[in-house]
Amino acid sequence: MLRRRLNRLFGGDEKRVDSRTIYVGNRPCPATETFIPPKFCDNRIVSSKYTIWNFLPKNLFEQFRRIANFYFLIIFLVQVIVDTPTSPVTSGLPLFFVITVTAIKQGYEDWLRHKADSEVNKYPVRVLEDGQPARKDSEKIKVGDIVEVVEDETFPCDLILLQSSRDDDTCFVTTASLDGESNHKTHYTVPDMEKDLQSLSATIECEQPQPDLYKFVGRMHIYKPEHDPAVRSLGPENLLLKGATLKNTKKIYGVAVYTGMETKMALNYQGKSQKRSAVEKSINAFLLVYLCILISKAVVCTTLKYVWQSQDGQDEPWYNQKTEKEKGTILYVKMFTDFLSFMVLFNFIIPVSMYVTVEMQKFLGSFFITWDRDFFDPEIEEGALVNTSDLNEELGQVEYVFTDKTGTLTQNNMEFIECCIDGFQYTAFSSELDSFCVTDGPVSTFQEKAGREKEELFLRALCLCHTVQVKEAGPDELGGDQVDGPASEPLRPAEQRGFIASSPDEVALVKGAMRYGFTFLGLESKTMKIKNWQNDVEEYELLHVLNFDPVRRRMSVIVRSKSGDTLLFCKGADSSIFPRVRPEEVERIRMHVQRSATEGYRTLCVAYKRLSVDEYAAADAGLREARLALQDREEKLMAVYNQVETAMSLIGATAVEDRLQEEAAQTMEALQGAGMKVWVLTGDKMETAKSTCYACRLFRRSTELLELTVRTLESGGRRREEMLHDLLFDFHRKAVQDAPPARAGVNRSWSSANPEYGFIVDGAALALVMNPSPDTNCSRYRSLFLQICQNCTAVLCCRMAPLQKAQIVKMVKNSKGSPITLSIGDGANDVSMILEAHVGIGVKGKEGRQAVRNSDYAIPKLKHLRKLLLAHGHLYYIRIAHLVQYFFYKNLCFILPQFLYQFFCGCSQQPLYDAAYLTMYNICFTSMPILAYSLLEQQIAIEVLLDNATLYRDIAKNAMLRWGPFLYWTVLAVFQGLIFFFGVKYLFSNPALQDNGQVFGNWSYGTIVFTVLVFTVTLKLALDTRHWTWINHFVIWGSLAFYVVFSFFWGGIIWPFLKQQRLYFVFFNMLSSVSAWLVIILLIVLSLLPDILLGVLRKPRGPHTQQMRRCLPSSGTSTIFVLSQTTSTHSFSWSD
Amino acid sequence: MKAGPSRTNRPDNTAFTQQRLPAWQPILSAGIVIPGFTLIGLAFIGVGVALFVTSQKITDLEVRGKRDTHAVLFFFQGPVFFYYGLTSYYQNFRTYGVSKDGYQLSGDTYYFNVRAWYSCAPYQYDSNNNPIVPCGSIANSMFSDTFQLYQVVNGMKKQVPLDGKGIAWWTDYNIKYSNPALVNGSFANAFSGTVKPVNWSKPVYELDPTDQANNGFLNQNFLVWMRQAALPKFQKLYGRIAEGDYAQGLPAGNYTLLINYSYPVISFGGTKKVVLSNVSWMGGKNQFLGIAYLVIGSLCIVMAMVMLIIYAKYKFTDDDEDM
């Protein structure tokens, strides 16, 4: 941070302009009169936060910025400054302990970062100096240096690719460590680059560093002695990012453009914003209550003290004269210091250790998720991943589940199912490679074929219109000769041919074309080769790729065939293709597309266009110009794309299947049974998404669907706005007003009497609801919409843009009652909703790792969500809720006797317990049992939780941390505190408690109370423990034994560092008194009686015993949809 | 507990990591609670009866005010303990309680003069700046009344010996407190350069003129006083009647108590009293414990019966039995 700031300071003017100029090889260029080597930051990566020198102050500062630590620091300082009843050690020691442990942990983490940093910074790299590669440390690379990178090395900084050892001027990289996508990506050298880098004289003008990994604009000026400077446009395809790894390429040279902390990787190295759990909010609310209790206690005591002192002779009895200092103090100052003293005396009511225990519980508890073998997926050899442990308990509180469809509900494992050419249907079930057979589709009876020409055109389109690469088997084939002569050489079997693509649909399509006999052989220096039915190799020159983007929802290629024809092939979602082709072609295809979509397939339409020479020239110029633009490149490119992709003719459509995830239906059913509302948010078509919903049993036969889509909006022949108004009110009447009021407790499976509603909305309709025209009542629509949604059993939002997904999540999140939301998705398009929801879950799917990186928890499969929520979430919630309540409880009954004692010691702030007990109570005597409980407790066995989803409803809405339970615990604590204090007080009406007639003093009093206290709160926890593992036994009995041993030890020795040996032999004497024993037993039993009684009386009404036996109706898939389970569904990562 | 470096990332299959540790899962069912309550109730009633009876047997005699002749109407079973009691006296004032120097009281003469932290304020030094030993409020306010008990036998006063030994905690006397070493063979010299506490009439080394060993910091009355009482109404042991003719107890008869009344209590609204009492295994007379045990024991029995009725009536026990 400091480094960056310094750089900014010294970097001077250069930083203020929009772009930076880089001199390649740090050589002056003819165009610039004076060569001033610009200053950029060096290539040092600093991810560590501290240095040896600033560790202590900086770490302390950061720790005390936490409000709790700061509070304890203030208490400590008050104790040091003011003459207070307890020594500063009592609060200083725990605070010191907490601060030290945290500092050690953070220091260790930072040391690891230092080590990693220096590993990266000292990594040897080769930099071209005077034409020769020179070895350097990675951190010495300067902007403008030409760096050599060999295969399987990672790039040391962001480089512009100048030269590659591959013939086609490309190189392959994998960005697995950046965004987790392990597929190979192609990057291109700067076009028309000279081979001799030594003599290269060029400057690069590019934008200032920005964190977007996929954006880069720049321009390269190449100066040649006799020519005008040539200009080349640079885009993300020319930029090699630090952290990515070179693959399939022997060697590349690149010029460093961004180094060190300015690389895109470093700029992306920023933590996500923290999410806070609802439990934490409860804790804070309770803390506030306890703070109020604390302050009022202190106020009461201070007041009483002065009231009492105003009585005759009580202010300064002769036996307790004031010191000179006391006499000299002004009354109000005295009152204030007294108030502070009382605060200090009672401050243990808000324990430091609670924060430590809660954090430890969360941290250690999250291991159980990573350790769970049920989450292990043998396919990817990975288990669950916990990115944040702060939200464990939130998993038990989820009310709304927002799920992505593709890759989450479905497998994103694409298989080519059928296609439609010119209105005729073909299925791909035939295994023969080169017979293009027509079969009956599930419903069709087509027997005719389309014209052979059309078929070939269609297959060519499939083979050419993509960005798929052929995976090369080994480095020796890099030259490409073997692949080059396919006519002479037998092809590798199709199954062994690997294709690499950014989207699995593309691979499915290329493989589909292969089944029909058209094989894509590869892209070789801008030439695409395909093998046709005649086993001839056709070659096409690839002129332009009009990349896919989610707004256009289509992609195109422009190729030139051997015969000189320039062709544009385009494929994309039907909605984006149909308006761009001749309308008369549409009708024949549309029917097939819709039918395929209804069956749950992902459909794509394929179109083509023959470009005349003039047309191509115009398009080419437009594309080149747009690519060179430094500003608004994206927009300009889009405009050109849209202009080129018009007036095409439709060839056909494809249908690709995406199977449902394993147990998707059961999982959804379990979630709904647990009272969660499941919303599907997808970018896919309505029909596809709807069929997926049916297959997942989110919609059933009995579900009445309410549709609010563009189709229904336009059906009435009226304005959309009017229709929207009518529909919204109609649906609202149906779903909200007519619905029976008491729905909460009724399980869906058993309540067939009530009509169920499913709600379908699409992106366009949602946009109308969210941002209606100004004359309509915006918030009214919104609330209507929300109410409808909340009253439907399932909601399907299709045709959603990523931002709209987040919008929906936000809307629900901020609705009345602020329900806890969970988003689950696997793709980059789900990141926004994963970040928006309270809990974000990433599925380790096929669409890269972006969702996983941004999630709070990542699981390999959708089906794991069930155990994650129903078992882990439920248990974590119970554990932490009990932990929090118990902590407040045990500290209230700890401090209450001390408060009551003030009434019997003239409100003189006399502590009841010894300082050692005050300090150790929370740290040692009572902390371990509750920690063990909060890690191991299973009030209901995991299997039972999984089988009975309804149990999840018992803890919904933060049931265990509401004011009711809190009040119960508080009353219990007060009751016990009163018993502790007054029980011992009545015993002390005659302090001669031993059979030798000797009397006990105040420290014996405190020790008896404390002994009762420690035993009671520990046994109270033992009563609450339903799951006694050996660890529980060990810590509960161990804590009690430790207390006894410690007390013996503490009281058995004259401690030289103590001024007063207050507890010397107090504990021992206490144990030698029969009366003390009897009163301890009596008070413990009396304190626990109400709890036992309540436990017994409450049990018959408890929800579990009956239900645990009776399982819910089995959640098997209904017969109707068995079909759709097996032959189901897909959607297109594109249309997502 | 960490997953070992296995070839795959597969989590360990241990009972702990899979949350499958064998566990005992007790459920408080009526089948356990009702007999449990009955047992606890019976035991408590038993203990309560024993406590109550014992407490009833303990005789205590309180003497308030200045009447000095008392009739003991029956044989007072020995050993009889002699307590003095004070009310509205806050020995548990915080400033009072910290006003002593433990190092000094353990006999370390270094701390006669040097006092860290001014722990003995306001009785560190007298007006002439001489160090006070023993310093501090507690020592300064030591109870100064003395008592002599006489039995009136045939009009003659016969002194009942009050044994001032063994009234303080053994550890206080033997370990926690000790006297400074003799200087030049003289105990008093050890305290040279110091002055007696302001309110004292005698220096610390002359507290008990009758017994040279019972002086200094090891004076037993001093030790008893230094152990602060827990509550403003307290009693402290003054002596035991365990010698001579009275070893077995006080015979019935008339007794006279001679009080050397010097300790002021009126100014803070306090009172004084003297208690003669014998003790049992449970200590001095205290009805509270016995009654409490009886009440709670009966409560347990009542609750057990109520629960039994409820369970019998509503048959809630059905599925509790097999758990």
Side-chain angles (χ1 to χ4, degrees):
Chain A
M1 185 63 90
L2 187 69
R3 173 172 297 276
R4 227 182 282 174
R5 211 167 289 152
L6 275 180
N7 273 323
R8 205 153 291 164
L9 218 67
F10 296 125
D13 298 343
E14 191 269 331
K15 294 281 170 172
R16 289 195 204 119
V17 294
D18 295 339
S19 61
R20 51 164 62 182
T21 307
I22 295 144
Y23 297 85
V24 175
N26 285 321
R27 284 183 294 271
C29 285
T32 52
E33 308 81 37
T34 48
F35 171 66
I36 314 156
K39 281 183 186 133
F40 300 108
C41 70
D42 59 15
N43 196 30
R44 205 135 50 118
I45 285 284
V46 186
S47 62
S48 54
K49 267 158 79 182
Y50 310 109
T51 64
I52 288 187
W53 309 113
N54 73 10
F55 176 76
L56 209 61
K58 196 172 168 187
N59 185 269
L60 285 182
F61 175 72
E62 285 188 359
Q63 289 205 43
F64 285 120
R65 269 197 341 200
R66 291 186 58 184
I67 192 88
N69 285 349
F70 187 69
Y71 164 78
F72 296 117
L73 180 71
I74 293 290
I75 292 285
F76 174 71
L77 289 181
V78 167
Q79 278 179 301
V80 171
I81 296 163
V82 183
D83 169 40
T84 55
T86 53
S87 95
V89 177
T90 50
S91 70
L93 196 69
L95 184 64
F96 179 74
F97 176 75
V98 169
I99 297 286
T100 318
V101 167
T102 317
I104 288 174
K105 180 176 154 251
Q106 291 180 347
Y108 175 70
E109 283 170 357
D110 206 55
W111 180 69
L112 289 182
R113 280 195 287 264
H114 267 289
K115 241 175 58 172
D117 282 355
S118 84
E119 209 166 283
V120 172
N121 291 335
K122 302 285 183 220
Y123 189 81
V125 294
R126 286 164 306 282
V127 174
L128 277 194
E129 276 174 0
D130 306 322
Q132 293 304 313
R135 292 187 87 83
K136 268 190 182 180
D137 283 351
S138 167
E139 61 180 354
K140 301 263 169 60
I141 295 178
K142 296 191 297 293
V143 170
D145 280 347
I146 297 178
V147 183
E148 177 191 299
V149 180
V150 297
E151 187 168 1
D152 291 333
E153 264 184 353
T154 55
F155 302 112
C157 55
D158 291 353
L159 301 168
I160 291 292
L161 180 59
L162 294 178
Q163 213 174 72
S164 160
S165 65
R166 289 177 64 95
D167 294 342
D168 56 357
D169 288 338
T170 59
C171 75
F172 294 106
V173 303
T174 143
T175 50
S177 55
L178 279 177
D179 56 11
E181 295 181 29
S182 56
N183 54 1
H184 293 192
K185 289 180 182 140
T186 321
H187 286 249
Y188 301 90
T189 58
V190 180
D192 311 320
M193 201 57 211
E194 296 168 61
K195 290 293 160 204
D196 184 12
L197 291 177
Q198 184 47 37
S199 63
L200 176 71
S201 168
T203 59
I204 290 170
E205 208 180 314
C206 61
E207 58 183 353
Q208 290 297 348
Q210 58 147 322
D212 192 329
L213 291 179
Y214 309 104
K215 279 212 176 93
F216 176 75
V217 280
R219 227 181 344 219
M220 188 170 186
H221 302 265
I222 302 173
Y223 305 94
K224 289 177 190 166
E226 289 90 33
H227 298 74
D228 284 341
V231 182
R232 305 272 182 268
S233 79
L234 304 174
E237 70 276 6
N238 305 114
L239 186 70
L240 305 171
L241 298 177
K242 180 185 172 79
T245 312
L246 187 64
K247 289 286 179 193
N248 255 358
T249 314
K250 274 188 188 135
K251 186 158 80 170
I252 61 109
Y253 290 99
V255 57
V257 284
Y258 304 129
T259 50
M261 298 311 287
E262 291 178 346
T263 55
K264 288 185 183 281
M265 188 184 86
L267 292 174
N268 269 291
Y269 185 79
Q270 273 147 6
K272 302 176 291 171
S273 67
Q274 283 277 310
K275 292 182 183 176
R276 310 205 127 223
S277 78
V279 169
E280 218 166 314
K281 282 172 209 150
S282 297
I283 296 181
N284 287 339
F286 297 165
L287 270 184
L288 220 62
V289 172
Y290 269 60
L291 201 66
C292 292
I293 294 180
L294 171 64
I295 290 175
S296 47
K297 274 185 178 177
V299 168
V300 164
C301 284
T302 316
T303 317
L304 278 181
K305 174 169 179 166
Y306 284 91
V307 168
W308 185 80
Q309 281 185 355
S310 68
Q311 289 172 352
D312 234 14
Q314 301 301 349
D315 181 26
E316 196 181 4
W318 66 265
Y319 56 87
N320 187 28
Q321 297 284 317
K322 288 179 181 166
T323 58
E324 295 302 317
K325 206 173 116 215
E326 277 177 304
K327 282 176 188 161
T329 323
I330 307 158
L331 179 69
Y332 293 106
V333 176
K334 246 194 311 194
M335 282 171 103
F336 184 65
T337 44
D338 274 325
F339 174 74
L340 288 182
S341 296
F342 281 117
M343 289 282 282
V344 166
L345 189 66
F346 302 141
N347 90 82
F348 298 91
I349 202 169
I350 299 174
V352 201
S353 57
M354 185 172 79
Y355 288 89
V356 185
T357 315
V358 166
E359 297 231 327
M360 264 171 49
Q361 193 271 345
K362 289 183 168 186
F363 176 71
L364 297 175
S366 61
F367 279 114
F368 284 119
I369 294 178
T370 34
W371 281 337
D372 196 322
R373 278 167 79 89
D374 290 349
F375 293 155
F376 183 75
D377 187 54
E379 245 173 73
I380 57 171
E381 299 227 319
E382 272 181 78
L385 179 74
V386 179
N387 288 332
T388 168
S389 55
D390 286 348
L391 301 170
N392 291 344
E393 69 279 357
E394 209 90 326
L395 294 173
Q397 291 293 306
V398 176
E399 288 168 70
Y400 285 87
V401 174
F402 299 96
T403 165
D404 173 43
K405 189 175 77 70
T406 312
T408 308
L409 285 176
T410 61
Q411 291 184 353
N412 205 13
N413 191 0
M414 306 297 167
E415 201 169 327
F416 189 91
I417 293 298
E418 59 184 30
C419 62
C420 154
I421 304 172
D422 207 21
F424 302 99
Q425 188 176 6
Y426 301 81
T427 48
F429 296 124
S430 160
S431 57
E432 296 141 73
L433 268 181
D434 48 4
S435 81
F436 190 31
C437 49
V438 183
T439 55
D440 299 337
V443 293
S444 99
T445 50
F446 289 113
Q447 290 299 328
E448 324 94 286
K449 286 185 177 184
R452 186 162 181 93
E453 209 170 299
K454 286 262 182 183
E455 288 175 357
E456 288 191 9
L457 185 64
F458 178 77
L459 293 174
R460 253 177 222 127
L462 289 191
C463 280
L464 293 172
C465 183
H466 55 70
T467 53
V468 175
Q469 289 150 23
V470 177
K471 191 156 61 196
E472 284 155 27
D476 50 329
E477 289 176 43
L478 271 179
D481 291 331
Q482 291 93 327
V483 190
D484 238 278
S488 56
E489 183 187 294
L491 273 169
R492 273 165 283 176
E495 279 68 32
Q496 285 173 25
R497 270 186 101 75
F499 294 105
I500 307 164
S502 49
S503 138
D505 302 69
E506 295 210 298
V507 179
L509 291 178
V510 172
K511 282 188 171 165
M514 209 160 81
R515 281 190 175 180
Y516 291 136
F518 265 68
T519 312
F520 173 63
L521 296 174
L523 176 67
E524 205 57 51
S525 52
K526 296 248 162 201
T527 307
M528 293 176 101
K529 291 177 186 159
I530 57 177
K531 192 180 62 150
N532 62 14
W533 285 334
Q534 285 81 35
N535 268 348
D536 293 337
V537 174
E538 299 176 14
E539 293 192 1
Y540 294 87
E541 186 190 348
L542 179 62
L543 299 169
H544 285 286
V545 177
L546 284 57
N547 281 326
F548 171 80
D549 67 68
V551 181
R552 269 163 64 235
R553 298 152 66 88
R554 59 179 182 269
M555 73 153 293
S556 308
V557 291
I558 301 176
V559 295
R560 180 173 289 148
S561 69
K562 272 279 162 62
S563 55
D565 291 338
T566 311
L567 296 167
L568 177 136
F569 291 107
C570 179
K571 67 173 185 217
D574 51 0
S575 62
S576 69
I577 297 281
F578 285 165
R580 301 179 164 268
V581 299
R582 281 189 280 280
E584 66 269 18
E585 290 166 336
V586 170
E587 282 319 308
R588 277 182 297 174
I589 307 274
R590 188 198 292 276
M591 198 182 73
H592 288 278
V593 171
Q594 281 180 353
R595 194 172 51 79
S596 301
T598 317
E599 274 165 26
Y601 301 140
R602 292 167 81 108
T603 56
L604 277 185
C605 291
V606 184
Y608 89 110
K609 174 182 177 184
R610 205 174 286 273
L611 292 171
S612 68
V613 179
D614 291 346
E615 276 173 328
Y616 174 68
D620 186 46
L623 286 169
R624 279 178 198 278
E625 191 190 341
R627 287 207 176 116
L628 277 183
L630 271 187
Q631 310 287 317
D632 304 329
R633 182 182 284 177
E634 302 289 316
E635 288 78 5
K636 285 176 183 162
L637 272 176
M638 191 84 75
V640 181
Y641 288 166
N642 285 336
Q643 201 186 332
V644 177
E645 292 163 335
T646 46
M648 302 178 287
S649 48
L650 193 62
I651 325 171
T654 59
V656 174
E657 186 194 12
D658 187 1
R659 285 169 195 274
L660 272 194
Q661 288 274 10
E662 301 164 51
E663 295 175 33
Q666 288 94 320
T667 308
M668 289 302 128
E669 208 169 27
L671 296 189
Q672 288 194 327
M676 287 176 248
K677 300 216 164 120
V678 182
W679 295 28
V680 178
L681 308 183
T682 177
D684 213 344
K685 278 180 292 296
M686 192 190 94
E687 289 76 18
T688 323
K690 203 158 89 180
S691 62
T692 308
C693 286
Y694 273 115
C696 292
R697 316 243 293 147
L698 289 173
F699 294 157
R700 292 145 188 258
R701 257 185 318 166
S702 55
T703 308
E704 188 183 339
L705 295 182
L706 311 174
E707 260 183 53
L708 187 71
T709 58
V710 175
R711 208 176 62 192
T712 55
L713 285 181
E714 286 176 344
S715 61
R718 283 183 294 164
R719 281 178 58 229
R720 279 187 178 193
E721 282 77 8
E722 289 170 19
M723 200 62 201
L724 177 75
H725 182 266
D726 292 355
L727 277 177
L728 271 178
F729 276 89
D730 186 34
F731 291 162
H732 186 261
R733 207 192 55 242
K734 263 194 201 168
V736 183
Q737 291 164 3
D738 296 350
R743 300 173 55 257
V746 191
N747 187 294
R748 228 189 100 174
S749 321
W750 299 333
S751 64
S752 50
N754 300 336
E756 290 176 11
Y757 293 104
F759 192 52
I760 303 177
V761 65
D762 69 358
L766 183 73
L768 275 179
V769 173
M770 292 300 201
N771 318 303
S773 43
D775 55 322
T776 49
N777 194 341
C778 161
S779 58
R780 178 128 181 79
Y781 280 0
R782 248 185 215 227
S783 68
L784 278 180
F785 175 73
L786 192 65
Q787 284 177 20
I788 298 168
C789 287
Q790 287 174 337
N791 278 294
C792 289
T793 47
V795 175
L796 165 64
C797 304
C798 43
R799 296 287 192 208
M800 289 281 142
L803 227 56
Q804 281 183 311
K805 292 185 177 183
Q807 218 178 352
I808 294 230
V809 175
K810 193 171 187 174
M811 179 181 78
V812 174
K813 201 169 94 172
N814 296 334
S815 68
K816 199 169 139 263
S818 32
I820 307 294
T821 55
L822 175 143
S823 289
I824 176 165
D826 73 321
N829 56 354
D830 306 316
V831 169
S832 57
M833 77 173 180
I834 285 177
L835 289 177
E836 182 66 48
H838 291 104
V839 188
I841 309 250
V843 174
K844 296 180 172 179
K846 298 197 166 156
E847 291 186 31
R849 281 295 163 92
Q850 226 146 322
V852 171
R853 273 199 311 161
N854 287 290
S855 64
D856 303 311
Y857 300 89
I859 47 178
K861 287 269 169 64
L862 175 77
K863 63 174 177 180
H864 299 138
L865 190 62
R866 179 171 169 190
K867 188 175 182 190
L868 188 66
L869 297 187
L870 296 189
H872 285 282
H874 191 123
L875 290 178
Y876 281 128
Y877 178 74
I878 289 184
R879 289 167 184 175
I880 197 126
H882 202 277
L883 167 70
V884 170
Q885 298 280 24
Y886 179 78
F887 245 98
F888 283 112
Y889 148 81
K890 83 177 163 104
N891 281 291
L892 184 56
C893 53
F894 173 47
I895 285 307
L896 189 65
Q898 180 138 291
F899 169 68
L900 294 172
Y901 193 54
Q902 298 310 309
F903 300 121
F904 299 94
C905 69
C907 294
S908 62
Q909 302 131 19
Q910 171 71 22
L912 181 60
Y913 316 114
D914 182 62
Y917 286 156
L918 281 173
T919 314
M920 305 275 283
Y921 176 70
N922 272 310
I923 300 183
C924 302
F925 301 146
T926 58
S927 65
M928 290 317 285
I930 184 62
L931 184 63
Y933 173 94
S934 66
L935 287 174
L936 301 168
E937 174 66 3
Q938 295 175 30
Q939 277 185 313
I940 309 168
I942 291 180
E943 290 75 27
V944 179
L945 284 174
L946 286 176
D947 289 345
N948 297 273
T950 37
L951 292 176
Y952 195 82
R953 294 168 190 235
D954 297 343
I955 54 162
K957 294 264 175 211
N958 210 2
M960 289 177 70
L961 285 176
R962 320 198 88 189
W963 291 111
F966 178 69
L967 199 67
Y968 166 72
W969 281 93
T970 309
V971 167
L972 185 71
V974 170
F975 167 74
Q976 296 189 350
L978 289 172
I979 285 185
F980 299 158
F981 182 78
F982 285 106
V984 182
K985 184 181 174 286
Y986 285 121
L987 182 76
F988 265 68
S989 58
N990 184 349
L993 294 173
Q994 281 175 293
D995 56 1
N996 58 10
Q998 291 172 359
V999 295
F1000 281 172
N1002 64 330
W1003 297 115
S1004 303
Y1005 189 109
T1007 306
I1008 295 176
V1009 173
F1010 192 76
T1011 309
V1012 177
L1013 169 75
V1014 168
F1015 275 81
T1016 306
V1017 297
T1018 309
L1019 291 177
K1020 156 78 184 151
L1021 187 68
L1023 275 181
D1024 288 344
T1025 305
R1026 290 275 168 278
H1027 192 79
W1028 284 81
T1029 64
W1030 65 266
I1031 301 176
N1032 294 89
H1033 281 290
F1034 180 75
V1035 292
I1036 286 184
W1037 312 126
S1039 284
L1040 293 179
F1042 176 76
Y1043 165 67
V1044 174
V1045 170
F1046 174 85
S1047 298
F1048 271 122
F1049 188 60
W1050 184 243
I1053 293 174
I1054 296 275
W1055 296 96
F1057 56 86
L1058 287 181
K1059 207 164 57 187
Q1060 299 186 7
Q1061 312 291 333
R1062 291 163 166 173
L1063 281 201
Y1064 189 66
F1065 262 68
V1066 164
F1067 192 73
F1068 184 86
N1069 270 306
M1070 180 188 90
L1071 291 189
S1072 70
S1073 156
V1074 182
S1075 294
W1077 276 89
L1078 288 176
V1079 85
I1080 288 170
I1081 294 168
L1082 174 84
L1083 296 182
I1084 292 173
V1085 170
L1086 182 59
S1087 305
L1088 294 176
L1089 268 187
D1091 226 43
I1092 299 174
L1093 211 61
L1094 269 179
V1096 175
L1097 291 181
R1098 199 162 33 177
K1099 212 188 115 263
R1101 278 183 280 119
H1104 312 312
T1105 37
Q1106 332 279 297
Q1107 287 180 15
M1108 275 198 284
R1109 309 246 161 117
R1110 197 195 315 146
C1111 277
L1112 292 178
S1114 109
S1115 52
T1117 321
S1118 86
T1119 45
I1120 305 255
F1121 292 103
V1122 163
L1123 187 86
S1124 22
Q1125 262 278 15
T1126 48
T1127 62
S1128 191
T1129 188
H1130 150 288
S1131 102
F1132 206 12
S1133 69
W1134 301 34
S1135 33
D1136 256 15
Chain B
M1 285 178 193
K2 241 183 145 180
S6 60
R7 202 170 43 79
T8 65
N9 304 321
R10 198 177 182 84
D12 284 358
N13 188 14
T14 63
F16 176 70
T17 57
Q18 302 308 313
Q19 307 199 55
R20 294 228 164 80
L21 282 177
W24 171 54
Q25 292 170 316
I27 285 187
L28 280 180
S29 63
I32 295 170
V33 173
I34 294 174
F37 268 45
T38 318
L39 276 179
I40 291 177
L42 290 177
F44 268 41
I45 289 174
V47 173
V49 168
L51 280 169
F52 192 73
V53 170
T54 313
S55 187
Q56 285 299 327
K57 273 196 206 152
I58 297 173
T59 327
D60 67 344
L61 180 70
E62 266 189 41
V63 185
R64 288 174 192 275
K66 291 191 175 177
R67 275 193 308 136
D68 54 2
T69 309
H70 299 270
V72 176
L73 301 175
F74 47 86
F75 178 73
F76 208 140
Q77 175 70 42
V80 177
F81 292 80
F82 190 102
Y83 297 92
Y84 62 88
L86 291 169
T87 58
S88 298
Y89 192 103
Y90 290 86
Q91 255 206 322
N92 54 14
F93 265 133
R94 179 170 67 87
T95 46
Y96 179 84
V98 296
S99 186
K100 64 177 176 185
D101 187 341
Y103 296 125
Q104 188 186 76
L105 295 172
S106 68
D108 191 339
T109 49
Y110 174 77
Y111 289 95
F112 284 16
N113 271 308
V114 183
R115 251 146 250 162
W117 298 102
Y118 293 89
S119 59
C120 283
Y123 297 104
Q124 301 247 43
Y125 302 97
D126 71 354
S127 47
N128 300 324
N129 216 22
N130 294 313
I132 299 172
V133 172
C135 69
S137 296
I138 311 183
N140 184 58
S141 61
M142 186 179 156
F143 190 70
S144 55
D145 286 6
T146 53
F147 306 97
Q148 272 134 20
L149 185 64
Y150 298 97
Q151 186 184 14
V152 185
V153 185
N154 305 328
M156 295 290 292
K157 281 184 182 173
K158 179 182 175 194
Q159 184 158 15
V160 180
L162 284 177
D163 181 10
K165 296 274 171 50
I167 55 173
W169 286 18
W170 189 90
T171 46
D172 284 357
Y173 184 76
N174 289 289
I175 302 162
K176 192 169 161 183
Y177 293 82
S178 39
N179 277 322
L182 302 181
V183 175
N184 302 329
S186 155
F187 190 47
N189 279 352
F191 293 91
S192 65
T194 68
V195 295
K196 65 177 171 55
V198 183
N199 286 10
W200 286 17
S201 54
K202 293 174 279 189
V204 67
Y205 46 86
E206 288 169 7
L207 275 176
D208 188 353
T210 59
D211 183 359
Q212 185 56 38
N214 194 23
N215 268 318
F217 303 142
L218 293 183
N219 177 281
Q220 296 236 355
N221 280 323
F222 177 69
L223 292 179
V224 168
W225 183 255
M226 292 304 282
R227 181 156 295 280
Q228 294 156 256
L231 297 166
K233 181 183 173 206
F234 62 87
Q235 62 187 47
K236 283 178 182 280
L237 191 51
Y238 184 79
R240 296 180 302 156
I241 304 169
E243 289 170 15
D245 302 340
Y246 302 96
Q248 298 309 313
L250 295 180
N254 278 334
Y255 291 86
T256 301
L257 182 63
L258 194 66
I259 304 173
N260 177 12
Y261 195 99
S262 67
Y263 201 71
V265 289
I266 307 295
S267 66
F268 54 86
T271 57
K272 292 195 269 194
K273 68 174 178 185
V274 163
V275 179
L276 286 167
S277 168
N278 54 16
V279 297
S280 67
W281 50 270
M282 58 169 283
K285 192 179 184 79
N286 193 343
Q287 305 280 36
F288 163 72
L289 258 186
I291 293 170
Y293 262 91
L294 284 174
V295 168
I296 290 165
S298 341
L299 212 64
C300 282
I301 300 277
V302 169
M303 282 192 290
M305 276 158 66
V306 169
M307 266 188 282
L308 196 66
I309 292 166
I310 292 176
Y311 275 75
K313 202 165 179 182
Y314 295 98
K315 297 199 165 92
F316 282 149
T317 43
D318 289 357
D319 54 358
D320 289 328
E321 307 296 0
D322 48 356
M323 284 202 157

